[in-house]
């Protein structure tokens, strides 16, 4: 299995594509992120998506371990192997408990260390599963994370859903980032 779309070689990029790639490389990430390979077919989508990703990944009020927990719950929901592999590594670097990571992969409720982790997990799971937040969970989210934190959490989940769908549709990062702990599900790539 190979990616369905490749990063256009630098010499063949349009001026807009070169400009957007340079912005990504000179930004916080220091590289062109995987979903941008597809988004570059519309350079303005690539520019805006990459900038939104930088904001939501690096510049929110949520601690990195909480952002990574939300990203992993989202990656697991979409069975996005490349997203899972990248953010499992980042989550562990940010201090996530390996047992929590394993539980999310296995779709088991994890034993979380504090109220902030528990709230992030419950909001993420509930919103992805039911497409809504019950009033009590919404109120808990605001009380524990603050209104801004809850808005940022939902933004992270939305952005990383777009990332997961992009990675899955174009099979980016496969087979090298196939995550065996996610198991095979209907529609998963046969790697």
């Amino acid at each position: 299995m190979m990616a369905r779309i490749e990063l256009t070689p630098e010499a063949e990029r349009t001026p807009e594509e070169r400009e957007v790639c340079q912005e990504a490389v000179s930004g916080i990430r220091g590289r062109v992120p995987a979903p941008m390979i597809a988004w570059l077919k519309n350079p303005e989508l690539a520019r805006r998506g990459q900038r939104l990703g930088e904001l939501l990944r690096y510049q929110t009020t949520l601690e990195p371990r909480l952002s990574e927990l939300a990203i992993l719950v989202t990656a697991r929901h979409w069975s996005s192997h490349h997203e899972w592999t990248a953010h499992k590594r980042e989550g562990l670097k940010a201090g996530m408990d390996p047992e929590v990571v394993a539980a999310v992969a296995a779709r088991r409720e994890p034993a979380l260390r504090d109220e902030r982790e528990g709230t992030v997990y419950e909001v993420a799971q509930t919103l992805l599963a039911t497409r809504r937040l019950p009033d009590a969970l919404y109120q808990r989210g605001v009380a524990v994370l603050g209104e801004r934190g809850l808005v940022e959490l939902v933004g992270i989940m939305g952005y990383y859903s777009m990332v997961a769908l992009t990675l899955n549709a174009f099979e980016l990062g496969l087979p090298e980032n196939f995550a065996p702990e996610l198991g095979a599900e209907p529609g998963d790539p046969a790697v």
Side-chain angles (χ1 to χ4, degrees):
M1 162 175 320
M2 300 284 297
R4 291 177 169 162
I5 199 165
E6 300 287 333
L7 183 60
T8 304
E10 191 169 354
E12 297 173 27
R13 292 180 196 152
T14 67
E16 294 84 10
E17 289 171 338
R18 281 194 296 275
E19 184 180 318
V20 172
C21 287
Q22 182 54 42
E23 284 176 20
V25 170
S26 64
I28 296 170
R29 286 188 177 95
R31 61 178 174 74
V32 172
M36 208 170 119
I37 293 168
W39 299 342
L40 273 168
K41 300 306 172 188
N42 177 332
E44 193 58 30
L45 171 62
R47 172 178 281 115
R48 293 179 190 207
Q50 192 282 133
R51 285 182 179 167
L52 181 60
E54 278 189 348
L55 171 73
L56 292 170
R57 174 106 183 272
Y58 301 105
Q59 299 169 328
T60 69
T61 59
L62 301 175
E63 305 92 297
R65 71 181 167 89
L66 299 180
S67 294
E68 294 300 333
L69 175 59
I71 295 166
L72 286 176
V73 170
T74 303
R76 174 67 271 194
H77 175 79
W78 295 108
S79 294
S80 181
H81 290 263
H82 182 67
E83 185 172 281
W84 176 269
T85 300
H87 289 281
K88 173 183 174 183
R89 180 179 56 248
E90 293 302 314
L92 293 171
K93 279 200 296 192
M96 285 185 68
D97 181 339
E99 292 298 320
V100 169
V101 174
V104 172
R107 298 187 191 271
R108 289 189 329 262
E109 183 142 349
L112 298 162
R113 73 175 85 172
D114 59 37
E115 188 176 26
R116 288 177 66 78
E117 276 189 3
T119 300
V120 165
Y121 177 80
E122 191 173 347
V123 166
Q125 269 304 103
T126 301
L127 192 52
L128 288 166
T130 70
R131 298 169 202 63
R132 298 278 186 271
L133 285 181
D135 286 339
L137 182 54
Y138 173 83
Q139 294 302 327
R140 178 175 157 213
V142 170
V144 173
L145 303 173
E147 195 167 55
R148 178 177 172 169
L150 184 57
V151 167
E152 291 169 340
L153 172 58
V154 173
I156 288 167
M157 294 169 55
Y159 174 77
Y160 280 96
S161 288
M162 182 174 82
V163 167
L165 292 171
T166 301
L167 296 171
N168 286 357
F170 299 101
E171 296 183 351
L172 294 167
L174 295 173
E176 63 274 13
N177 289 309
F178 182 77
E181 66 267 34
L182 298 186
E185 296 184 16
D188 275 0
V191 179

